[in-house]
Amino acid sequence: AYERSGGSALVASLHRGVGDICDKGARVLRENAGEYAAVPPRTVRYFALFKSTQKALAFRCLGEEAEAKGEIGLAVGYLQRALYTMDNARISATSSGDADWAECCAAAMGPLKEKGDYLENENRTVHFNAPVPKELPKLPDGRTMVTPLVFEPKVLDQDLLF
């Protein structure tokens, strides 16, 4: 997708699609909790954290696309939003006691912060403070390239066993 022009928008849509799948998965778990026994709260939090990280990655992709088009102010805005979204996921993980997930979010924030700092510096020095929009364009709709399959357990034929 990156090799095509506009590939970053497609990748952003795919990240949103993964977030939509997380929503559906969490909803199915909640609706069928009685059927599967109790759903651990950590599993539900995982879906929410994973959705947040996918949203941050979608913002990062759109920032890369804006940078490639020379829209540095917009790129800075998207990367700031990506960093903000990832930081909220880290704070949520920390407050719920999930230190390992908080570390993952913090590690993912490093490259976002580096790229954002680079673009902010470039915006100040090269583009003479191109305006960073207060309202960013909305994320593209999520796309999924997979379809769910119904699980049907295999039944062993008694004649084959004996």
Side-chain angles (χ1 to χ4, degrees):
Y2 279 117
E3 294 173 1
R4 297 182 353 181
S5 63
S8 293
L10 173 61
V11 174
S13 293
L14 293 173
H15 281 299
R16 283 292 304 269
V18 171
D20 294 344
I21 290 171
C22 287
D23 276 344
K24 289 177 187 173
R27 188 173 47 249
V28 166
L29 281 176
R30 280 192 302 273
E31 290 171 356
N32 299 309
E35 184 178 335
Y36 302 117
V39 178
R42 190 166 192 233
T43 302
V44 177
R45 284 194 311 267
Y46 171 76
F47 279 112
L49 287 171
F50 194 67
K51 180 183 178 190
S52 294
T53 58
Q54 292 301 309
K55 187 175 181 181
L57 291 173
F59 281 125
R60 186 204 70 201
C61 289
L62 293 176
E64 290 172 355
E65 183 176 30
E67 178 190 13
K69 290 180 180 177
E71 299 171 340
I72 299 301
L74 185 60
V76 168
Y78 275 128
L79 284 168
Q80 286 174 346
R81 181 68 58 87
L83 191 59
Y84 175 78
T85 304
M86 192 67 77
D87 193 39
N88 281 345
R90 182 190 60 78
I91 291 169
S92 174
T94 302
S95 65
S96 62
D98 295 319
D100 50 345
W101 291 345
E103 282 181 31
C104 290
C105 291
M109 287 173 60
L112 288 174
K113 183 149 180 47
E114 286 177 18
K115 184 69 170 181
D117 291 347
Y118 168 78
L119 286 177
E120 285 178 5
N121 186 39
E122 185 174 319
N123 191 24
R124 272 193 312 277
T125 57
V126 177
H127 298 277
F128 304 106
N129 292 322
V132 176
K134 293 182 185 198
E135 288 293 319
L136 295 173
K138 124 181 185 176
L139 284 174
D141 291 335
R143 292 179 79 183
T144 54
M145 300 177 77
V146 296
T147 55
L149 299 174
V150 177
F151 175 70
E152 295 179 15
K154 294 186 178 186
V155 179
L156 295 176
D157 188 9
Q158 290 295 330
D159 295 334
L160 292 175
L161 293 176
F162 298 105

PDB file of all heavy atoms in Angstrom, residues 125-146:
ATOM      1  N   THR A 125      11.786  26.347  11.143  1.00  0.00           N
ATOM      2  CA  THR A 125      12.969  26.877  10.463  1.00  0.00           C
ATOM      3  C   THR A 125      12.823  26.957   8.945  1.00  0.00           C
ATOM      4  O   THR A 125      13.323  27.890   8.330  1.00  0.00           O
ATOM      5  CB  THR A 125      14.204  26.013  10.793  1.00  0.00           C
ATOM      6  OG1 THR A 125      13.938  24.665  10.419  1.00  0.00           O
ATOM      7  CG2 THR A 125      14.534  26.090  12.267  1.00  0.00           C
ATOM      8  N   VAL A 126      12.154  25.999   8.340  1.00  0.00           N
ATOM      9  CA  VAL A 126      12.066  25.963   6.873  1.00  0.00           C
ATOM     10  C   VAL A 126      10.765  26.575   6.369  1.00  0.00           C
ATOM     11  O   VAL A 126      10.751  27.369   5.439  1.00  0.00           O
ATOM     12  CB  VAL A 126      12.217  24.511   6.349  1.00  0.00           C
ATOM     13  CG1 VAL A 126      12.058  24.448   4.857  1.00  0.00           C
ATOM     14  CG2 VAL A 126      13.564  23.947   6.776  1.00  0.00           C
ATOM     15  N   HIS A 127       9.687  26.215   6.990  1.00  0.00           N
ATOM     16  CA  HIS A 127       8.372  26.643   6.498  1.00  0.00           C
ATOM     17  C   HIS A 127       7.840  27.860   7.241  1.00  0.00           C
ATOM     18  O   HIS A 127       6.706  28.281   7.010  1.00  0.00           O
ATOM     19  CB  HIS A 127       7.378  25.475   6.598  1.00  0.00           C
ATOM     20  CG  HIS A 127       7.780  24.320   5.752  1.00  0.00           C
ATOM     21  ND1 HIS A 127       7.491  24.242   4.416  1.00  0.00           N
ATOM     22  CD2 HIS A 127       8.473  23.189   6.035  1.00  0.00           C
ATOM     23  CE1 HIS A 127       7.972  23.124   3.916  1.00  0.00           C
ATOM     24  NE2 HIS A 127       8.586  22.462   4.886  1.00  0.00           N
ATOM     25  N   PHE A 128       8.636  28.421   8.152  1.00  0.00           N
ATOM     26  CA  PHE A 128       8.279  29.644   8.872  1.00  0.00           C
ATOM     27  C   PHE A 128       6.894  29.560   9.508  1.00  0.00           C
ATOM     28  O   PHE A 128       6.014  30.382   9.269  1.00  0.00           O
ATOM     29  CB  PHE A 128       8.401  30.870   7.970  1.00  0.00           C
ATOM     30  CG  PHE A 128       9.766  30.998   7.364  1.00  0.00           C
ATOM     31  CD1 PHE A 128       9.975  30.708   6.029  1.00  0.00           C
ATOM     32  CD2 PHE A 128      10.855  31.343   8.143  1.00  0.00           C
ATOM     33  CE1 PHE A 128      11.233  30.799   5.475  1.00  0.00           C
ATOM     34  CE2 PHE A 128      12.121  31.437   7.593  1.00  0.00           C
ATOM     35  CZ  PHE A 128      12.310  31.163   6.253  1.00  0.00           C
ATOM     36  N   ASN A 129       6.706  28.517  10.310  1.00  0.00           N
ATOM     37  CA  ASN A 129       5.499  28.324  11.112  1.00  0.00           C
ATOM     38  C   ASN A 129       4.223  28.194  10.295  1.00  0.00           C
ATOM     39  O   ASN A 129       3.290  28.982  10.435  1.00  0.00           O
ATOM     40  CB  ASN A 129       5.352  29.436  12.156  1.00  0.00           C
ATOM     41  CG  ASN A 129       6.417  29.368  13.213  1.00  0.00           C
ATOM     42  OD1 ASN A 129       6.789  28.274  13.628  1.00  0.00           O
ATOM     43  ND2 ASN A 129       6.901  30.504  13.651  1.00  0.00           N
ATOM     44  N   ALA A 130       4.206  27.205   9.423  1.00  0.00           N
ATOM     45  CA  ALA A 130       2.955  26.890   8.726  1.00  0.00           C
ATOM     46  C   ALA A 130       1.909  26.578   9.782  1.00  0.00           C
ATOM     47  O   ALA A 130       2.206  25.923  10.777  1.00  0.00           O
ATOM     48  CB  ALA A 130       3.155  25.685   7.800  1.00  0.00           C
ATOM     49  N   PRO A 131       0.696  27.065   9.598  1.00  0.00           N
ATOM     50  CA  PRO A 131      -0.301  26.896  10.664  1.00  0.00           C
ATOM     51  C   PRO A 131      -0.665  25.423  10.901  1.00  0.00           C
ATOM     52  O   PRO A 131      -0.847  24.655   9.962  1.00  0.00           O
ATOM     53  CB  PRO A 131      -1.514  27.682  10.150  1.00  0.00           C
ATOM     54  CG  PRO A 131      -1.310  27.784   8.681  1.00  0.00           C
ATOM     55  CD  PRO A 131       0.170  27.749   8.438  1.00  0.00           C
ATOM     56  N   VAL A 132      -0.734  25.075  12.180  1.00  0.00           N
ATOM     57  CA  VAL A 132      -1.189  23.746  12.578  1.00  0.00           C
ATOM     58  C   VAL A 132      -2.692  23.862  12.816  1.00  0.00           C
ATOM     59  O   VAL A 132      -3.119  24.644  13.670  1.00  0.00           O
ATOM     60  CB  VAL A 132      -0.475  23.264  13.862  1.00  0.00           C
ATOM     61  CG1 VAL A 132      -1.023  21.927  14.310  1.00  0.00           C
ATOM     62  CG2 VAL A 132       1.025  23.195  13.635  1.00  0.00           C
ATOM     63  N   PRO A 133      -3.507  23.137  12.053  1.00  0.00           N
ATOM     64  CA  PRO A 133      -4.954  23.293  12.209  1.00  0.00           C
ATOM     65  C   PRO A 133      -5.434  22.820  13.586  1.00  0.00           C
ATOM     66  O   PRO A 133      -4.935  21.838  14.124  1.00  0.00           O
ATOM     67  CB  PRO A 133      -5.540  22.418  11.097  1.00  0.00           C
ATOM     68  CG  PRO A 133      -4.453  21.492  10.706  1.00  0.00           C
ATOM     69  CD  PRO A 133      -3.155  22.143  11.054  1.00  0.00           C
ATOM     70  N   LYS A 134      -6.406  23.568  14.132  1.00  0.00           N
ATOM     71  CA  LYS A 134      -6.980  23.163  15.422  1.00  0.00           C
ATOM     72  C   LYS A 134      -7.888  21.961  15.245  1.00  0.00           C
ATOM     73  O   LYS A 134      -7.962  21.110  16.099  1.00  0.00           O
ATOM     74  CB  LYS A 134      -7.744  24.326  16.043  1.00  0.00           C
ATOM     75  CG  LYS A 134      -6.835  25.448  16.440  1.00  0.00           C
ATOM     76  CD  LYS A 134      -7.567  26.576  17.095  1.00  0.00           C
ATOM     77  CE  LYS A 134      -6.548  27.674  17.332  1.00  0.00           C
ATOM     78  NZ  LYS A 134      -6.925  28.624  18.273  1.00  0.00           N
ATOM     79  N   GLU A 135      -8.589  21.899  14.153  1.00  0.00           N
ATOM     80  CA  GLU A 135      -9.461  20.772  13.834  1.00  0.00           C
ATOM     81  C   GLU A 135      -8.859  20.022  12.658  1.00  0.00           C
ATOM     82  O   GLU A 135      -8.736  20.570  11.566  1.00  0.00           O
ATOM     83  CB  GLU A 135     -10.872  21.257  13.465  1.00  0.00           C
ATOM     84  CG  GLU A 135     -11.670  21.787  14.633  1.00  0.00           C
ATOM     85  CD  GLU A 135     -12.021  20.699  15.632  1.00  0.00           C
ATOM     86  OE1 GLU A 135     -12.365  19.582  15.207  1.00  0.00           O
ATOM     87  OE2 GLU A 135     -11.938  20.974  16.835  1.00  0.00           O
ATOM     88  N   LEU A 136      -8.478  18.788  12.886  1.00  0.00           N
ATOM     89  CA  LEU A 136      -7.923  17.969  11.813  1.00  0.00           C
ATOM     90  C   LEU A 136      -9.050  17.337  11.017  1.00  0.00           C
ATOM     91  O   LEU A 136     -10.136  17.103  11.552  1.00  0.00           O
ATOM     92  CB  LEU A 136      -7.052  16.863  12.410  1.00  0.00           C
ATOM     93  CG  LEU A 136      -5.795  17.320  13.140  1.00  0.00           C
ATOM     94  CD1 LEU A 136      -5.150  16.132  13.822  1.00  0.00           C
ATOM     95  CD2 LEU A 136      -4.834  17.983  12.197  1.00  0.00           C
ATOM     96  N   PRO A 137      -8.791  17.053   9.749  1.00  0.00           N
ATOM     97  CA  PRO A 137      -9.799  16.288   9.000  1.00  0.00           C
ATOM     98  C   PRO A 137     -10.043  14.951   9.677  1.00  0.00           C
ATOM     99  O   PRO A 137      -9.157  14.387  10.311  1.00  0.00           O
ATOM    100  CB  PRO A 137      -9.149  16.089   7.626  1.00  0.00           C
ATOM    101  CG  PRO A 137      -8.114  17.145   7.528  1.00  0.00           C
ATOM    102  CD  PRO A 137      -7.651  17.417   8.922  1.00  0.00           C
ATOM    103  N   LYS A 138     -11.248  14.463   9.556  1.00  0.00           N
ATOM    104  CA  LYS A 138     -11.601  13.219  10.237  1.00  0.00           C
ATOM    105  C   LYS A 138     -10.841  12.045   9.629  1.00  0.00           C
ATOM    106  O   LYS A 138     -10.466  12.065   8.452  1.00  0.00           O
ATOM    107  CB  LYS A 138     -13.117  13.089  10.189  1.00  0.00           C
ATOM    108  CG  LYS A 138     -13.688  11.917   9.609  1.00  0.00           C
ATOM    109  CD  LYS A 138     -15.203  11.932   9.612  1.00  0.00           C
ATOM    110  CE  LYS A 138     -15.591  10.591   9.097  1.00  0.00           C
ATOM    111  NZ  LYS A 138     -16.856  10.183   9.028  1.00  0.00           N
ATOM    112  N   LEU A 139     -10.601  11.058  10.459  1.00  0.00           N
ATOM    113  CA  LEU A 139      -9.910   9.852   9.989  1.00  0.00           C
ATOM    114  C   LEU A 139     -10.758   9.160   8.927  1.00  0.00           C
ATOM    115  O   LEU A 139     -11.993   9.206   8.986  1.00  0.00           O
ATOM    116  CB  LEU A 139      -9.673   8.887  11.153  1.00  0.00           C
ATOM    117  CG  LEU A 139      -8.549   9.230  12.111  1.00  0.00           C
ATOM    118  CD1 LEU A 139      -8.556   8.267  13.281  1.00  0.00           C
ATOM    119  CD2 LEU A 139      -7.220   9.200  11.421  1.00  0.00           C
ATOM    120  N   PRO A 140     -10.107   8.507   7.976  1.00  0.00           N
ATOM    121  CA  PRO A 140     -10.893   7.768   6.981  1.00  0.00           C
ATOM    122  C   PRO A 140     -11.634   6.607   7.631  1.00  0.00           C
ATOM    123  O   PRO A 140     -11.252   6.133   8.696  1.00  0.00           O
ATOM    124  CB  PRO A 140      -9.836   7.261   5.987  1.00  0.00           C
ATOM    125  CG  PRO A 140      -8.551   7.302   6.728  1.00  0.00           C
ATOM    126  CD  PRO A 140      -8.679   8.377   7.760  1.00  0.00           C
ATOM    127  N   ASP A 141     -12.692   6.180   6.987  1.00  0.00           N
ATOM    128  CA  ASP A 141     -13.442   5.036   7.498  1.00  0.00           C
ATOM    129  C   ASP A 141     -12.554   3.804   7.491  1.00  0.00           C
ATOM    130  O   ASP A 141     -11.669   3.657   6.643  1.00  0.00           O
ATOM    131  CB  ASP A 141     -14.680   4.770   6.642  1.00  0.00           C
ATOM    132  CG  ASP A 141     -15.718   5.872   6.797  1.00  0.00           C
ATOM    133  OD1 ASP A 141     -15.721   6.537   7.848  1.00  0.00           O
ATOM    134  OD2 ASP A 141     -16.522   6.065   5.866  1.00  0.00           O
ATOM    135  N   GLY A 142     -12.818   2.921   8.432  1.00  0.00           N
ATOM    136  CA  GLY A 142     -12.038   1.702   8.547  1.00  0.00           C
ATOM    137  C   GLY A 142     -12.321   0.741   7.407  1.00  0.00           C
ATOM    138  O   GLY A 142     -13.446   0.631   6.926  1.00  0.00           O
ATOM    139  N   ARG A 143     -11.288   0.058   6.967  1.00  0.00           N
ATOM    140  CA  ARG A 143     -11.419  -0.969   5.944  1.00  0.00           C
ATOM    141  C   ARG A 143     -10.893  -2.271   6.503  1.00  0.00           C
ATOM    142  O   ARG A 143      -9.871  -2.304   7.165  1.00  0.00           O
ATOM    143  CB  ARG A 143     -10.601  -0.615   4.699  1.00  0.00           C
ATOM    144  CG  ARG A 143     -11.127   0.564   3.946  1.00  0.00           C
ATOM    145  CD  ARG A 143     -10.261   0.875   2.764  1.00  0.00           C
ATOM    146  NE  ARG A 143     -10.562  -0.043   1.670  1.00  0.00           N
ATOM    147  CZ  ARG A 143      -9.913  -0.046   0.529  1.00  0.00           C
ATOM    148  NH1 ARG A 143      -8.917   0.773   0.334  1.00  0.00           N
ATOM    149  NH2 ARG A 143     -10.233  -0.895  -0.415  1.00  0.00           N
ATOM    150  N   THR A 144     -11.601  -3.317   6.227  1.00  0.00           N
ATOM    151  CA  THR A 144     -11.111  -4.637   6.608  1.00  0.00           C
ATOM    152  C   THR A 144     -11.006  -5.472   5.350  1.00  0.00           C
ATOM    153  O   THR A 144     -11.846  -5.378   4.451  1.00  0.00           O
ATOM    154  CB  THR A 144     -12.048  -5.329   7.614  1.00  0.00           C
ATOM    155  OG1 THR A 144     -13.361  -5.359   7.077  1.00  0.00           O
ATOM    156  CG2 THR A 144     -12.062  -4.600   8.938  1.00  0.00           C
ATOM    157  N   MET A 145      -9.970  -6.251   5.289  1.00  0.00           N
ATOM    158  CA  MET A 145      -9.730  -7.075   4.112  1.00  0.00           C
ATOM    159  C   MET A 145      -9.949  -8.544   4.418  1.00  0.00           C
ATOM    160  O   MET A 145      -9.617  -9.396   3.622  1.00  0.00           O
ATOM    161  CB  MET A 145      -8.312  -6.834   3.595  1.00  0.00           C
ATOM    162  CG  MET A 145      -8.087  -5.395   3.199  1.00  0.00           C
ATOM    163  SD  MET A 145      -6.417  -5.067   2.666  1.00  0.00           S
ATOM    164  CE  MET A 145      -6.453  -5.745   1.028  1.00  0.00           C
ATOM    165  N   VAL A 146     -10.494  -8.813   5.581  1.00  0.00           N
ATOM    166  CA  VAL A 146     -10.770 -10.191   5.970  1.00  0.00           C
ATOM    167  C   VAL A 146     -12.240 -10.304   6.319  1.00  0.00           C
ATOM    168  O   VAL A 146     -12.888  -9.324   6.653  1.00  0.00           O
ATOM    169  CB  VAL A 146      -9.905 -10.628   7.183  1.00  0.00           C
ATOM    170  CG1 VAL A 146      -8.442 -10.638   6.838  1.00  0.00           C
ATOM    171  CG2 VAL A 146     -10.172  -9.738   8.369  1.00  0.00           C
TER     172      VAL A 146
END
